[in-house]
Amino acid sequence: MNSFNTIKDMVFGLNLNDIPDTAQHQARRCLLDLVGVLIAGRTTPLSRIINDHAHRYFHSPDRNGTLLGDGRSASAPGIALAGGMTIDSIDAHDGMKNAKGHAGCGVFPALVALLETTGRPYDDADFLTALIMGYEISIRDALALHDSADDYHTSGAWVAVGIAAMAARVRGQTENQLFEGMGIAEYHGPRSQMMRTIDHPTMVKDGSGWGAMAGVSAALLAEDGFTGAPAVTVTDPALAPFWSNLGQEWHIVNQYIKPWPVCRWAQPAVTATMMIMHNNKINHETIEKITVHSFHQAVRLATAIPRNTEEAQYSLPWPVAAAAVRGQLAVAEISEPFDDERIMELAQSMELLEDDRHNAAFPGERIGRVSITTKSGEVFQSDDMRATWDPEAPPSDDEMIEKYHQLADPVIGQERATRIRAMIAAIGEDGGQNGGRHSVKGGMAQQLITELGKPFL
């Protein structure tokens, strides 16, 4: 395994053989998860609007690719924009606790956009190496940004920088273009305030699609000679420790996986609620009240009765009540209509309380505690609970496959979903034996990208 002294060394020197098997395996797991969420996301109004927008307004006169799950054409920035927003439209994709956001949601569609429109041949090793590198640089930029900025910015702010770096590798750029692209991406990346969309959930969400578009556009501008201010999160000596372990620590293995399609901050309370009800055999009809103790950001997820899927995904009362009533939390529970009277009753009566200990643990730990009071006066309490499928207790491969099919099968059918899953599992199976860049034209990654370009609906 090589270590890399600089971002430049990693961007232009990383090969699949440099990446441990654990990180490669996790990349396939994350990719499967992202594709499942992408497929489910195509059913949302958000995805319909953004794909129409990208097809209508993002076109290149000489080189277009295909919008993911849509089939229509768009330029690379448009594909990245629509793909990132479609994944983000169902809040069920991977993320990292200390990054306080999601790398893969932007990195994956941006990589597809770049590979489709650049015209350079690529093989499975190229695809998997670039995907992992995109995660690694994006996450380190997230850690540097959160350490140096007072405001809490969405994932788009930092994923744009990682995507610009990934684009420099995919497009064969110069060292100067790499650093200009990262500088443009950091300057123009969406420094959107995360807590605004928590308080007022809308389609802007986590900024991932906009960050993907900004990162791709920044790299293309750098090729044309456009200059950018240095990316402070990369060049500031005070932030050098975040970049000192390139090639030694692989952050992609530290991704959490979401079992449910709602904000990660609400998931500890969902976990606690399901555990209490299962262990004590509680019927939801006997519940008088649910009380949730959690950290400040989770308690801000205060929408009780959602009017649309965005409000349902950025709510704490609704998913907890839905899980209590239906014993599950799937896409159906965060989709219209929101008219289940028992869920509405529990959500409206739910008490949300901020806990200082939970605040102190955030963001390294997201903790919730729940008490359920029955109509007979009994009180059942959980211990402090973490969200299910944190990196310390990850899902098995079989559990991830089950989640993927729950998302994908209702949209594209089991047969096509199984075929796509097999393609993902086979990417880079040779362990990098063909690991030089562009050593094999085509391959399974290219087949996957072609398949994902076909309409899902």
Side-chain angles (χ1 to χ4, degrees):
M1 302 294 175
N2 291 332
S3 60
F4 299 91
N5 294 324
T6 65
I7 292 177
K8 176 196 73 173
D9 294 337
M10 172 168 270
V11 168
F12 299 121
L14 182 68
N15 285 303
L16 195 59
N17 284 332
D18 298 319
I19 302 171
D21 290 344
T22 52
Q24 294 185 38
H25 181 64
Q26 178 72 346
R28 294 186 196 92
R29 283 161 53 93
C30 290
L31 179 59
L32 179 70
D33 201 56
L34 290 164
V35 170
V37 179
L38 171 77
I39 293 169
R42 283 293 290 124
T43 65
T44 64
L46 189 163
S47 181
R48 174 185 56 78
I49 293 168
I50 201 64
N51 276 275
D52 287 349
H53 178 82
H55 175 64
R56 188 178 298 126
Y57 298 113
F58 285 77
H59 265 271
S60 165
D62 57 355
R63 182 163 288 145
N64 290 303
T66 309
L67 292 164
L68 288 165
D70 181 278
R72 292 176 293 177
S73 61
S75 65
I79 295 168
L81 170 68
M85 284 197 168
T86 294
I87 295 171
D88 206 19
S89 72
I90 296 286
D91 201 351
H93 45 289
D94 65 70
M96 183 177 170
K97 289 184 285 188
N98 286 335
K100 296 199 284 188
H102 314 271
C105 182
V107 166
F108 165 58
L111 176 58
V112 171
L114 292 162
L115 291 173
E116 260 225 297
T117 60
T118 295
R120 294 166 63 92
Y122 62 93
D123 66 6
D124 287 0
D126 293 322
F127 175 86
L128 202 59
T129 302
L131 180 70
I132 294 169
M133 190 196 75
Y135 268 86
E136 296 304 318
I137 294 178
S138 295
I139 290 168
R140 284 169 173 80
D141 200 75
L143 300 176
L145 179 62
H146 292 314
D147 186 75
S148 57
D150 292 333
D151 208 357
Y152 179 1
H153 299 108
T154 62
S155 300
W158 44 266
V159 79
V161 177
I163 287 168
M166 182 177 68
R169 175 188 177 91
V170 172
R171 293 184 63 84
Q173 292 183 350
T174 66
E175 178 182 346
N176 182 66
Q177 289 167 341
L178 162 67
F179 285 101
E180 296 293 353
M182 288 193 296
I184 298 165
E186 186 192 73
Y187 192 87
H188 285 307
R191 292 268 179 127
S192 33
Q193 299 88 4
M194 185 70 216
M195 297 311 295
R196 285 180 62 189
T197 196
I198 297 302
D199 293 334
H200 306 284
T202 67
M203 292 181 181
V204 296
K205 302 199 78 171
D206 195 33
S208 297
W210 211 265
M213 176 190 70
V216 171
S217 296
L220 299 177
L221 281 168
E223 281 186 23
D224 290 338
F226 200 93
T227 57
V232 177
T233 49
V234 174
T235 61
D236 186 345
L239 301 175
F242 294 107
W243 302 98
S244 63
N245 59 357
L246 285 165
Q248 300 170 45
E249 181 177 0
W250 297 91
H251 285 303
I252 194 169
V253 302
N254 297 322
Q255 303 305 293
Y256 60 72
I257 304 297
K258 290 184 178 181
W260 305 302
V262 297
C263 179
R264 189 65 169 177
W265 300 345
Q267 298 206 11
V270 174
T271 301
T273 300
M274 287 185 162
M275 185 201 71
I276 291 174
M277 296 191 67
H278 177 268
N279 289 350
N280 298 282
K281 297 181 172 54
I282 298 172
N283 184 294
H284 70 87
E285 294 289 355
T286 68
I287 297 175
E288 177 70 27
K289 183 179 179 181
I290 298 176
T291 301
V292 176
H293 301 257
S294 198
F295 52 97
H296 171 79
Q297 288 82 355
V299 172
R300 291 268 287 273
L301 298 164
T303 300
I305 310 300
R307 295 167 296 179
N308 51 57
T309 186
E310 284 76 35
E311 291 186 352
Q313 292 174 52
Y314 282 152
S315 167
L316 195 159
W318 183 263
V320 169
V325 171
R326 297 186 181 174
Q328 67 172 27
L329 187 57
V331 173
E333 281 66 55
I334 51 96
S335 300
E336 295 183 50
F338 302 103
D339 58 1
D340 187 313
E341 292 185 2
R342 183 58 178 143
I343 298 176
M344 294 169 69
E345 178 187 356
L346 282 178
Q348 286 178 308
S349 66
M350 196 172 299
E351 186 175 17
L352 309 180
L353 300 175
E354 194 170 325
D355 187 296
D356 289 340
R357 294 181 301 106
H358 299 172
N359 285 337
F362 181 81
E365 298 286 350
R366 288 94 184 274
I367 302 173
R369 186 173 76 257
V370 169
S371 66
I372 295 178
T373 304
T374 67
K375 293 176 181 178
S376 64
E378 291 182 283
V379 178
F380 299 91
Q381 294 185 335
S382 76
D383 295 329
D384 284 350
M385 302 293 295
R386 275 72 176 169
T388 305
W389 293 356
D390 269 353
E392 296 81 11
S396 67
D397 288 352
D398 286 344
E399 287 173 319
M400 292 202 64
I401 289 170
E402 181 181 2
K403 176 193 170 184
Y404 163 78
H405 280 288
Q406 287 174 347
L407 292 168
D409 289 5
V411 182
I412 62 173
Q414 185 179 20
E415 182 180 352
R416 186 178 178 193
T418 300
R419 185 167 70 251
I420 291 173
R421 175 167 64 83
M423 291 178 183
I424 294 169
I427 291 175
E429 264 189 336
D430 65 4
Q433 294 304 307
N434 298 315
R437 294 182 67 205
H438 313 301
S439 59
V440 179
K441 186 176 181 179
M444 196 56 67
Q446 195 166 57
Q447 291 183 45
L448 173 68
I449 290 174
T450 299
E451 180 65 30
L452 295 181
K454 299 174 183 177
F456 294 154
L457 303 175

